[in-house]
Amino acid sequence: MVESKPKLPKPGRPVRGSTTGKPVMALIDLMGRRWILRILWELRGQPLTFRALQEACGRLSPSVLNGRLGELRAAALVDAGDDGYALTALGRELLTQFSSLTVWAEKWAKALR
Amino acid sequence: MVESKPKLPKPGRPVRGSTTGKPVMALIDLMGRRWILRILWELRGQPLTFRALQEACGRLSPSVLNGRLGELRAAALVDAGDDGYALTALGRELLTQFSSLTVWAEKWAKALR
DNA sequence: TTTCTTGCTACTAAAAACGTAGCAAAAGGA
DNA sequence: TCCTTTTGCTACGTTTTTAGTAGCAAGAAA
C-alpha cells in the first residue's frame, strides 16, 4: 500500500469540496477533521505535553495526534514551547469564536430531551 | 462481515474520547465529523434539495451525505421540509455562533501569508 | 406513456483513524 | 557517571470511515 500524505488545508488553495480557495472553506475543512476542535479545546486553559494531550483526548493514539498537531502548527494555531503544546495568539483568537459553545451545548441538550 | 452502525453523538452519552457525557463533548464530536460543518454552512442562506446539497458540497457522494443528514436530523439541527433540507431554529442558532467565521478566516489567511 | 428529476440504497475501493509496540533523546536522580 | 523515567514520536497491522459509481422506486412533467 502506498503512503498518502495528509494534505494541509491552507487559505488560498482549493480544499475538499471547494475550488474557490476561500479562507473560510479552508477553515471549515480543517475544523471538520477529527480531533482538531477537540485539541484546541483541551488547550484552552494551559499548555499540555504531547502525552498529556493524549490523555486529555481519551488516550488518543500518538500517530493521529502527531498528524493533527502538524496540521495545527502548519495553520499557526498551535505551537510547541517549553511546557508543551500551546495555542498561538491566532489559535486563542479562533477559540474565542467558540467561547459560548459550552453554554449553547447545554441548551441544545435540553432541547433534545 | 458485520454492519457497523454509525453512532449518533448525543448529549448525555459518552462519545469518542470522552466519557463525561457533557453536551459540549457531544457537540465537538459531531462537529468534528467530515462535512457536518460544511453542510450547515451551505444551508445558511436557504433550504436545499438533496441533490443541490450534493452539488454545493462539490458532488459529495450520496451515501455520505445521507449519513450526515441523518446525524444532523437526529441532532435536530436540520430537518426536511417541502423545499428540501433546511436548518431548524436550533441549527440556525448554532450557526450564529460561527457567524463571524468568514471574517476571522480572512484574517487568518493574511496572518499565514 | 415516456422522460426527467429527486431522494436514496447497495456495493466496492480508498483513505483515515486506531492501537500497540517500542525507540532515541532528554531529564532526573543516586 | 550509570541507571531509571519521561517524553515526543515512528512503524505497522487492523478496523472504521469516507469516497465513488451504479442504479432503483416514486413523483412531476410532457
Side-chain angles (χ1 to χ4, degrees):
Chain A
M1 167 163 282
V2 190
E3 289 270 325
S4 74
K5 54 177 102 175
K7 293 176 204 161
L8 305 174
K10 287 234 176 176
R13 305 191 327 188
V15 295
R16 180 169 22 230
S18 171
T19 55
T20 63
K22 293 227 172 92
V24 71
M25 283 301 165
L27 183 57
I28 285 176
D29 181 332
L30 180 64
M31 299 220 318
R33 297 181 181 198
R34 200 166 284 169
W35 298 114
I36 287 284
L37 190 51
R38 174 69 176 270
I39 292 169
L40 292 174
W41 184 257
E42 297 296 344
L43 291 177
R44 72 193 178 287
Q46 70 293 124
L48 293 174
T49 64
F50 187 94
R51 270 159 133 116
L53 249 183
Q54 258 193 98
E55 279 304 312
C57 294
R59 297 156 197 280
L60 173 59
S61 75
S63 42
V64 173
L65 177 55
N66 192 44
R68 291 293 102 103
L69 285 173
E71 294 164 19
L72 285 167
R73 284 200 276 186
L77 298 175
V78 160
D79 150 70
D82 283 346
D83 10 285
Y85 290 93
L87 295 178
T88 61
L90 214 49
R92 235 172 290 117
E93 207 182 287
L94 174 59
L95 212 55
T96 62
Q97 304 272 321
F98 304 95
S99 53
S100 42
L101 225 55
T102 311
V103 178
W104 187 87
E106 297 287 350
K107 188 173 172 180
W108 176 53
K110 275 179 194 155
L112 278 186
R113 260 180 290 156
Chain B
M1 165 167 282
V2 190
E3 290 270 325
S4 77
K5 53 177 108 177
K7 293 174 203 160
L8 304 176
K10 287 236 176 175
R13 305 192 327 189
V15 296
R16 175 164 33 225
S18 170
T19 56
T20 62
K22 291 226 173 95
V24 71
M25 283 302 165
L27 183 58
I28 285 177
D29 181 331
L30 180 64
M31 299 221 316
R33 297 179 181 198
R34 201 165 282 170
W35 298 114
I36 287 285
L37 190 50
R38 174 70 176 268
I39 291 169
L40 293 174
W41 183 258
E42 296 297 344
L43 291 177
R44 70 193 180 288
Q46 70 294 125
L48 293 174
T49 64
F50 187 93
R51 265 154 136 122
L53 249 182
Q54 257 193 99
E55 280 304 312
C57 294
R59 297 157 197 278
L60 173 59
S61 75
S63 44
V64 173
L65 177 55
N66 192 45
R68 290 293 104 103
L69 285 172
E71 295 164 21
L72 286 166
R73 285 201 274 187
L77 298 175
V78 161
D79 144 73
D82 284 344
D83 12 284
Y85 290 94
L87 295 177
T88 61
L90 214 49
R92 236 172 289 119
E93 207 182 288
L94 174 58
L95 212 55
T96 63
Q97 304 271 322
F98 302 90
S99 54
S100 41
L101 225 55
T102 311
V103 177
W104 187 88
E106 296 286 350
K107 187 174 173 178
W108 177 54
K110 275 178 193 157
L112 278 187
R113 262 180 289 158

